[in-house]
Amino acid sequence: MSNFVFPPVDIPSAAVRGTEARYAVRRIFCVGRNYADHAREMGSDPTREPPFYFTKPATALTPSGSTVPYPTETKNYHYEMELVLALGAPVFKVTPEAAVAAIWGYAAGLDMTRRDLQAAAKAAGKPWDTAKGFDQSAILGEIVRVADIGRLDKGAITLAVNGVEKQRGDLADMIWNSAEIVSNLSYLYHLHPGDLIYTGTPAGVGAVVPGDVLAGRIEGLGEIHLTVGPAE
């Protein structure tokens, strides 16, 4: 048996609908500005920008239904409602047609963001890590297997804060669809089972404060919930 200086951490995992087995999470990728209306509200031109990505650490993974503290060092804590892809096969340099087979399941997710830190980083040409990759910033609902739901390429995606709808879009509005995202990303990384991909958010992102209750929904997947707790 190997000896460790410190005990190894538990493998992060996510619930899978209809089974007690869990999906072991390897990495979390996120696609930036993948809906035209959101790209415009963030000041970009969606007709000219190719896909780009950022990542979140395993410590960001948080199950739906959680209460998370309002994060430190921000005064502008934002929600972004997203479809999440769960991969189930290794892929590297594949076409979109081949990439489809690697998508094992789907989930509803929230990409929580320190928007003020992101804006400062963008203005300075610096990385987004502190804005996007902080603890408990990747909220995830249960994964629904493709074998159970079929392919998701259209359907309503919405988010409400305290019962008031803030975001509404359709998965068909994505600039790059799920297969194209997996294909493109596979030219940058060797992708493997356990990799999650947050696929971008519709327009309507905004700030939340302690006490707010978020409820997101993707047609066919059900709801995801998050309560914002007091500041740490």
Side-chain angles (χ1 to χ4, degrees):
M1 179 179 293
S2 298
N3 293 321
F4 297 95
V5 175
F6 301 105
V9 298
D10 293 335
I11 297 173
S13 64
V16 178
R17 182 180 295 176
T19 177
E20 294 185 1
R22 296 184 64 83
Y23 179 90
V25 174
R26 187 171 183 267
R27 291 178 294 189
I28 303 172
F29 297 97
C30 303
V31 183
R33 296 193 287 268
N34 195 26
Y35 288 75
D37 50 2
H38 175 58
R40 293 187 186 99
E41 78 174 348
M42 298 301 289
S44 297
D45 182 348
T47 66
R48 295 182 180 177
E49 192 169 79
F52 73 95
Y53 308 94
F54 55 92
T55 61
K56 290 176 180 276
T59 56
L61 191 68
T62 303
S64 172
S66 298
T67 296
V68 303
Y70 192 93
T72 61
E73 301 302 317
T74 184
K75 295 181 179 178
N76 198 16
Y77 181 43
H78 275 215
Y79 54 80
E80 297 187 11
M81 180 66 192
E82 311 201 3
L83 173 70
V84 182
L85 312 178
L87 301 189
V91 286
F92 182 61
K93 293 185 177 181
V94 296
T95 65
E97 292 74 19
V100 169
I103 302 173
W104 184 82
Y106 302 99
L110 285 167
D111 166 17
M112 303 303 292
T113 303
R114 292 164 162 156
R115 190 71 73 200
D116 44 0
L117 299 191
Q118 183 189 29
K122 288 165 64 177
K126 295 179 178 179
W128 294 5
D129 297 61
T130 58
K132 290 287 193 177
F134 55 97
D135 294 343
Q136 296 182 291
S137 63
I139 317 304
L140 190 71
E142 62 181 0
I143 296 171
V144 181
R145 293 168 291 194
V146 169
D148 295 333
I149 196 176
R151 298 292 170 187
L152 278 185
D153 53 13
K154 61 181 179 179
I157 174 172
T158 62
L159 181 101
V161 179
N162 301 326
V164 179
E165 186 174 288
K166 299 293 186 178
Q167 289 186 279
R168 175 169 287 275
D170 195 285
L171 301 180
D173 297 334
M174 289 198 294
I175 298 170
W176 308 283
N177 65 33
S178 297
E180 291 168 336
I181 290 168
V182 175
S183 171
N184 181 267
L185 193 58
S186 78
Y187 280 83
L188 296 168
Y189 298 89
H190 288 266
L191 301 177
H192 293 275
D195 288 338
L196 297 176
I197 306 174
Y198 282 62
T199 60
T201 192
V205 299
V208 289
V209 298
D212 282 347
V213 178
L214 287 66
R217 183 175 182 84
I218 296 178
E219 187 176 340
L221 292 180
E223 292 194 348
I224 184 173
H225 299 92
L226 177 69
T227 299
V228 182
E232 291 185 301

